[in-house]
């Protein structure tokens, strides 16, 4: 049986960094020798974030088992190294869908279906999955206390903590201490109101984590402890950080992990080994150079849309002891203008994934610029497809090369489809079939798939292994029938699905570093274990920076 369960809630305003605080706490408990698992309960009614616009919800994180989840699960993985599963993320939409399916099947034997107990029981069942696997389960509730859609979740965790033996569940509440410049003081009142709201629904916080611009003076700390009914050493300051990877060390010095262990009555607790995080901090704080990388995409106004890519580049920088300076370049610029003036001066170019035709001609121009100017290029998902289309048009003479995706969108045929809608593929021992009329949600090629690498290729050297397993999220695929024509022009298909039907990786032979991958390597990168592709990409950028 696990020791303990920590429920993490948020108050006052959203986007305070609950996911980061949860991930950092997970890393600190690991540093003390405990096993951890992190979960996210999201109150929105979408079944999962897979169909949401990146402008709405930021990036969609994909697990090995093919779940499309909230980007907080990316933080959890990056900080703990524990691979997330589809049982680590659930939304109100998924909970209600399950309850309604059971009702339609007659599982409730004709009873009236209500939020309590039916919806709350479903949430409690979800929290219980795998409860005997780890020492600590950290469970984050999305949204803010007081949101109407969050109430079933708060009620479920109240009941859950009552069902368990006393002392097995604690509550950590994250709030904001606003600083009023005119009076020069931190205000505790919003936090007091937030805790009052929490207590009115039967939950009492054991640990308060307070976001503030500066340290919390002793007077305010005592006031918070008194009015929020927590111990003074359980009031934890969470100040703004230069890098999220400082969070474990900063939270440790503030006493977060100690406060959590004290709340459980675990004493004496094992001492933490923080060498991993000290090394990460050292690599961020003391880079030995800087490289400039352009990310050419269409969601560039919202950096959260490419969260994992930005983090993976940072990890690649750590591996090479350089600071990676990222600039977001809107692909639509190049639809109207020449790419060269916008891309000169960068040491490397990334073209990330995306959906839809908008901005794709710009991405094709970015791939062409990188190919012709010998600039390191990493194309991910759509970024690989655009590089293949660019090579087909400009090297193989297929002037109208394009993607079936854009013809489907426009409703008319304009391109030779180098990239086509994937109708069937093999997953394990099963063949999966899809049509272009299927629902949008959950119908892509999702999750971890194996790829076989060509011996002697650049990627085989980078990975140092003949087969790899990477995470996918796409429904369009490069057509294998153009392989010979493209390989004759120097675009090598260096990674294939085990059955040899689906291209996974392309690279240009006589180029310093030009690789396109159909999968999302950024999802598996960690600060203490940078992804080999990103580590080598930044190395190539560093080499290029010396030539520029």
């Amino acid at each position: 049986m696990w020791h303990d369960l920590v429920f993490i809630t948020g108050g006052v305003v959203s986007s305070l960094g609950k996911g980061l605080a949860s991930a950092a706490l997970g890393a600190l408990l690991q540093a003390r020798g405990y096993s951890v698992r992190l979960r996210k309960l999201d109150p929105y009614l979408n079944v999962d974030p897979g169909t949401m616009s990146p402008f709405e919800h930021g990036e969609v994180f994909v697990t090995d088992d093919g779940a499309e989840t909230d980007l907080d699960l990316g933080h959890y993985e990056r900080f703990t190294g524990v691979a997330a599963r589809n049982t680590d993320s659930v939304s109100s939409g998924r909970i209600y869908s399950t309850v309604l399916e059971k009702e339609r099947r007659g599982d409730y034997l004709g009873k009236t279906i209500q939020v309590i107990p039916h919806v709350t029981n479903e949430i409690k069942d979800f929290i219980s999955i795998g409860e005997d696997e780890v020492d600590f389960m950290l469970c984050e509730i999305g949204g803010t206390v007081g949101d109407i859609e969050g109430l079933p979740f708060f009620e479920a965790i109240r009941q859950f903590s009552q069902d368990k033996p006393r002392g097995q569940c604690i509550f950590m509440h994250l709030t904001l201490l606003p600083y009023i410049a005119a009076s020069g003081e931190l205000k505790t009142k919003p936090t007091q109101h937030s805790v009052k709201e929490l207590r009115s629904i039967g939950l009492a916080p054991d640990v308060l984590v307070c976001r503030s611009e500066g340290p919390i003076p002793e007077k305010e700390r005592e006031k918070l402890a008194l009015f929020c009914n927590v111990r003074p050493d359980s009031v934890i300051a969470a100040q703004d950080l230069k890098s999220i990877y400082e969070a474990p060390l900063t939270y440790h010095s503030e006493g977060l992990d100690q406060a959590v262990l004290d709340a459980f009555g675990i004493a004496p607790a094992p001492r933490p080994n923080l060498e991993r995080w000290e090394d990460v901090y050292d690599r961020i704080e003391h880079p030995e150079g800087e490289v400039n990388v352009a990310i050419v995409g269409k969601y560039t106004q919202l950096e959260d849309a490419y969260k994992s890519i930005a983090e993976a580049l940072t990890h690649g920088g750590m591996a090479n002891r350089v600071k990676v300076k990222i600039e977001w370049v809107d692909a639509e610029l190049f639809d109207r203008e020449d790419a060269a003036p916008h891309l000169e001066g960068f040491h490397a170019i990334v073209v990330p994934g995306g959906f839809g035709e908008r901005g794709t001609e710009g991405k094709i121009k970015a791939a062409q610029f990188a190919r012709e100017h010998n600039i390191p290029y990493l194309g991910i998902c759509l970024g690989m497809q655009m590089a293949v289309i660019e090579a087909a048009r400009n090297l193989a003479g297929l002037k109208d090369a394009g993607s079936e995706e854009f013809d489907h969108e426009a409703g008319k045929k304009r391109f030779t489809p180098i990239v086509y809608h994937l109708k069937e593929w093999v997953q394990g021992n099963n063949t999966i079939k899809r049509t272009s009329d299927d629902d949008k949600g959950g119908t892509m090629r999702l999750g971890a798939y194996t790829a076989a690498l060509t011996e002697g290729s650049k990627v085989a050297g980078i990975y140092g292994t003949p087969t790899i397993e990477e995470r996918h999220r796409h429904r369009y695929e490069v057509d294998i029938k153009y392989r010979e024509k493209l390989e004759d022009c120097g675009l090598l298909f260096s990674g294939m699905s085990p059955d040899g039907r689906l291209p996974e990786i392309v690279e240009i032979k006589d180029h310093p570093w030009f690789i396109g991958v159909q999968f999302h390597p950024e999802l598996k990168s960690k600060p203490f274990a940078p992804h080999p592709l990103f580590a080598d990409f930044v190395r190539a950028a560093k080499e290029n920076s010396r030539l520029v």
Side-chain angles (χ1 to χ4, degrees), residues 129-150:
I129 297 168
E131 65 179 7
D132 52 355
E133 290 175 11
V134 289
D135 300 322
F136 286 93
M137 183 71 81
L138 277 52
C139 202
E140 179 194 343
I141 318 298
T144 311
V145 174
D147 295 349
I148 194 164
E149 59 263 31

Side-chain angles (χ1 to χ4, degrees), residues 209-482:
V209 178
C210 303
R211 274 303 293 270
S212 62
E213 285 178 34
I216 305 175
E218 202 52 46
K219 189 166 98 309
E220 274 72 15
R221 198 181 284 265
E222 284 168 5
K223 195 173 175 183
L224 283 165
L226 179 65
F227 288 110
C228 299
N229 200 33
V230 297
R231 293 166 180 269
D233 53 7
S234 292
V235 177
I236 307 296
Q239 295 176 50
D240 297 348
L241 304 172
K242 283 194 297 217
S243 160
I244 59 171
Y245 299 114
E246 295 173 31
L249 295 177
T250 310
Y251 273 126
H252 175 66
S253 64
E254 277 291 328
L256 174 62
D257 46 332
Q258 192 58 56
V260 166
L261 294 167
D262 288 347
F264 284 119
I266 296 171
R271 292 183 66 76
N273 174 3
L274 294 166
E275 279 175 24
R276 167 187 274 183
W277 293 103
E278 283 158 0
D279 179 53
V280 163
Y281 179 69
D282 181 59
R283 286 170 183 273
I284 289 174
E285 277 295 288
H286 305 110
E288 291 160 11
E290 186 172 277
V291 295
N292 299 327
V293 177
I295 298 183
V296 182
K298 73 171 183 180
Y299 307 114
T300 48
Q301 307 92 309
L302 183 81
E303 293 175 16
D304 263 3
Y306 303 120
K307 190 76 182 159
S308 291
I309 290 178
E311 296 308 328
L313 284 167
T314 301
H315 306 161
M318 289 181 200
N320 293 280
R321 280 202 176 268
V322 292
K323 181 180 192 316
V324 178
K325 192 161 166 273
I326 295 169
E327 269 187 54
W328 309 86
V329 180
D330 186 351
E332 287 182 85
L333 266 179
F334 311 152
D335 291 351
R336 306 179 293 277
E337 302 173 34
D338 181 27
H342 296 281
L343 293 176
E344 277 162 0
F346 286 109
H347 304 131
I349 295 168
V350 176
V351 175
F355 294 90
E357 188 173 3
R358 194 166 57 80
T360 50
E361 290 299 322
K363 291 179 179 184
I364 289 168
K365 283 184 188 163
Q368 181 178 2
F369 181 85
R371 178 177 64 75
E372 291 175 349
H373 293 80
N374 282 340
I375 293 171
Y377 175 90
L378 175 59
I380 294 170
C381 199
L382 186 70
M384 161 178 158
Q385 296 174 0
M386 297 304 98
V388 173
I389 289 170
E390 190 276 321
R393 286 181 187 177
N394 299 323
L395 296 176
L398 295 162
K399 289 293 173 217
D400 60 349
S403 170
E404 214 173 44
E405 177 177 9
F406 314 146
D407 280 350
H408 285 163
E409 204 177 319
K412 56 180 187 280
K413 187 168 175 5
R414 300 163 297 162
F415 296 118
T416 299
I418 302 292
V419 175
Y420 69 100
H421 186 275
L422 190 58
K423 307 289 191 295
E424 65 172 62
W425 66 92
V426 176
Q427 182 172 19
N429 300 323
N430 306 318
T431 298
I432 295 173
K433 288 184 169 28
R434 292 276 182 260
T435 72
S436 49
D437 302 328
D438 284 347
D439 284 351
K440 289 279 177 278
T443 56
M444 287 180 274
R445 188 170 169 229
L446 286 166
Y449 287 87
T450 305
L453 307 184
T454 305
E455 204 179 324
S457 63
K458 190 178 225 64
V459 284
I462 291 169
Y463 277 101
T465 171
T467 56
I468 56 167
E469 196 173 81
E470 293 281 6
R471 296 178 189 174
H472 292 66
R473 181 177 184 253
H474 61 103
R475 53 170 71 84
Y476 290 87
E477 190 83 52
V478 172
D479 197 333
I480 193 71
K481 73 179 179 203
Y482 297 98

Side-chain angles (χ1 to χ4, degrees), residues 178-209:
Y179 177 73
I180 307 297
S183 61
E185 54 187 356
L186 278 178
K187 286 295 180 189
T188 64
K189 192 60 80 180
T191 298
Q192 291 178 44
H193 279 299
S194 181
V195 171
K196 187 178 173 189
E197 180 86 34
L198 203 58
R199 294 173 75 86
S200 72
I201 51 179
L203 301 174
D206 300 280
V207 179
L208 267 187
V209 178

